[in-house]
Amino acid sequence: GAVVSQHPSWVICKSGTSVKIECRSLDFQATTMFWYRQFPKQSLMLMATSNEGSKATYEQGVEKDKFLINHASLTLSTLTVTSAHPEDSSFYICSARWDSNNYGYTFGSGTRLTVV
Amino acid sequence: AQSVTQLGSHVSVSEGALVLLRCNYSSSVPPYLFWYVQYPNQGLQLLLKYTSAATLVKGINGFEAEFKKSETSFHLTKPSAHMSDAAEYFCAVSDTGGFKTIFGAGTRLFVKA
């Protein structure tokens, strides 16, 4: 149980194009999902907190217009990297909290984005 | 503000040897602490978590960690390393609301045959 599916697992796109990454909770409802970015050999940096039915909360320094987050349903959150540039190349990971009483988080398998 | 410091970006042990990965935290409120493992190009898998219950927490794959408030530490241990334990390990802290998790820089564990 408590599975989060992230798609695609990897994507290559050209500079200037947009890429959408999906994060789905398969067997539970996730009112809150989190989006992280991970540079090679570095830790995860929280980008934003995605709340179902409302605007996402972005961390300081994260461009809201660059990284569009939509959480339209209790099982789906999407991250769109708009007008991607090579410096946006990274590993993006989503997570969702499935156990509000016991702080259970589950993570997606991540998306490797390469912008050429 | 909360933070996590993982001592040692790389740890190398021999197969069968004790694994010790160090984590110190800083928190102005009672923390909730986690250890995650990440294999290459994969997401994170929860090994164990401390949520103010027993200070010695047992997790999956034979790992355990002890919460020591006096030392603000939450070190991860495993009595006998296996080759399959080679991965990146992250210590993380969350506030009592549980809405934001802060990760340490990670420690890569190498296991030698």
Side-chain angles (χ1 to χ4, degrees):
Chain A
V3 176
V4 168
S5 174
Q6 189 172 341
H7 178 81
S9 56
W10 61 270
V11 58
I12 301 174
C13 70
K14 294 183 178 180
S15 289
T17 61
S18 295
V19 174
K20 179 183 286 187
I21 302 170
E22 293 187 347
C23 183
R24 293 181 183 272
S25 57
L26 297 185
D27 48 3
F28 67 101
Q29 294 183 330
T31 56
T32 303
M33 291 187 176
F34 305 89
W35 287 96
Y36 293 86
R37 182 174 182 176
Q38 185 180 30
F39 290 103
K41 300 183 179 181
Q42 294 188 29
S43 187
L44 282 73
M45 300 301 295
L46 180 64
M47 298 174 65
T49 302
S50 168
N51 300 295
E52 187 269 335
S54 64
K55 292 183 178 180
T57 302
Y58 290 82
E59 295 299 302
Q60 190 173 9
V62 177
E63 299 177 61
K64 300 178 182 181
D65 296 331
K66 160 69 85 174
F67 300 100
L68 300 179
I69 292 174
N70 184 278
H71 194 158
S73 77
L74 288 171
T75 60
L76 175 64
S77 176
T78 61
L79 168 68
T80 301
V81 183
T82 63
S83 186
H85 289 99
E87 57 265 30
D88 298 325
S89 299
S90 191
F91 193 58
Y92 295 86
I93 305 176
C94 69
S95 78
R97 196 168 91 169
W98 59 271
D99 182 351
S100 61
N101 294 323
N102 208 21
Y103 303 93
Y105 294 88
T106 188
F107 285 78
S109 56
T111 297
R112 171 75 60 193
L113 170 62
T114 302
V115 185
V116 297
Chain B
Q2 297 179 304
S3 65
V4 171
T5 302
Q6 290 184 241
L7 303 176
S9 59
H10 298 84
V11 170
S12 181
V13 301
S14 297
E15 193 173 20
L18 171 71
V19 175
L20 171 61
L21 304 183
R22 300 177 186 274
C23 172
N24 288 89
Y25 70 90
S26 173
S27 178
S28 58
V29 297
Y32 292 86
L33 296 160
F34 309 81
W35 275 100
Y36 290 90
V37 61
Q38 183 183 34
Y39 296 97
N41 292 312
Q42 294 188 27
L44 273 66
Q45 181 182 10
L46 179 67
L47 284 175
L48 49 82
K49 61 180 183 287
Y50 166 78
T51 56
S52 75
T55 56
L56 181 62
V57 182
K58 294 187 182 298
I60 63 172
N61 300 340
F63 285 95
E64 64 180 37
E66 185 173 8
F67 172 71
K68 292 187 176 180
K69 184 178 179 180
S70 61
E71 300 177 7
T72 61
S73 68
F74 190 58
H75 302 331
L76 181 71
T77 61
K78 181 174 181 178
S80 177
H82 294 151
M83 296 297 289
S84 60
D85 294 328
E88 187 87 19
Y89 291 81
F90 292 96
C91 182
V93 62
S94 179
D95 60 24
T96 51
F99 287 105
K100 183 180 290 188
T101 301
I102 307 299
F103 288 86
T107 298
R108 180 161 295 278
L109 175 66
F110 296 93
V111 182
K112 300 174 292 185

